[in-house]
Each structure stands twice: as C-alpha cells, then as structure tokens.
Amino acid sequence: MNISKYRVYPNQKSSTTSGSVEERVVENLSNQISSSNTTTLTISRTPSSGGVQLSLNGQILVEGSSEDYTFNNKTITFVRTDIEIGDSLVVSYIVTN
C-alpha cells in the first residue's frame, strides 16, 4: 500500500460543537528513519486531542514510557530500539481546523 507523506481524508471529517472541523491525518514517517538508532521523529501538524496512533510494519504500537514510544506536541520518541532503515512507519491523528 502506497501512503503519501501527508494525507488528509476528507470523507473522515466531522464537526465539533464549536463549528470547527476535525480531520484524520495519516503520515508515512518511514523516510525519517535514518539509522538503526533513530530515536525521535516529528509529525507535520499538532494533533487536536487523543494523541497519535503509530504502526510499525503494520503492527500498532503502544504509547507509554515503559512501552513502545512517547508523544509530546509533534515529537515521537521511541522507547523500543528495533526500528531499522526500510521499516514502514505510519502515524494517524486528528486535527481541528
């Protein structure tokens, strides 16, 4: 499956009570893996709420300091150390416009 660097799915928009629109964003972060010791990656936009959902080679990762990764603002920091060049890394999150 070919996923673009940055994609907004317009059919997944929903309105909030304040009238703003929420959109699901999916980014392919694989190109940010520069070596086997890559520990931090940055996403393009700031999620509105709920954090991010991250998958490595199709497997959903778990957020938490004693799990797979932590997330703050736009930065993903990996706790796990088995990420390598060539791995597929995709993040999904909600933004409010």
Side-chain angles (χ1 to χ4, degrees), residues 51-69:
V52 298
Q53 183 177 51
L54 195 60
S55 69
L56 178 65
N57 298 323
Q59 187 172 37
I60 301 296
L61 301 181
V62 178
E63 183 177 359
S65 59
S66 60
E67 300 292 343
D68 297 318
Y69 69 96

Side-chain angles (χ1 to χ4, degrees), residues 45-88:
R45 298 171 70 183
T46 303
S48 55
S49 64
V52 298
Q53 183 177 51
L54 195 60
S55 69
L56 178 65
N57 298 323
Q59 187 172 37
I60 301 296
L61 301 181
V62 178
E63 183 177 359
S65 59
S66 60
E67 300 292 343
D68 297 318
Y69 69 96
T70 59
F71 178 74
N72 185 16
N73 192 20
K74 292 170 54 174
T75 303
I76 298 165
T77 303
F78 289 100
V79 176
R80 63 187 298 158
T81 59
D82 61 341
I83 298 166
E84 299 178 353
I85 294 173
D87 282 345
S88 172

Side-chain angles (χ1 to χ4, degrees), residues 12-70:
Q12 294 186 5
K13 290 182 180 180
S14 62
S15 295
T16 64
T17 55
S18 65
S20 56
V21 176
E22 291 184 330
E23 298 176 291
R24 175 163 301 281
V25 176
V26 177
E27 289 185 65
N28 182 347
L29 302 178
S30 302
N31 63 341
Q32 290 190 40
I33 302 171
S34 59
S35 68
S36 60
N37 63 357
T38 297
T39 57
T40 60
L41 301 174
T42 304
I43 60 175
S44 320
R45 298 171 70 183
T46 303
S48 55
S49 64
V52 298
Q53 183 177 51
L54 195 60
S55 69
L56 178 65
N57 298 323
Q59 187 172 37
I60 301 296
L61 301 181
V62 178
E63 183 177 359
S65 59
S66 60
E67 300 292 343
D68 297 318
Y69 69 96
T70 59

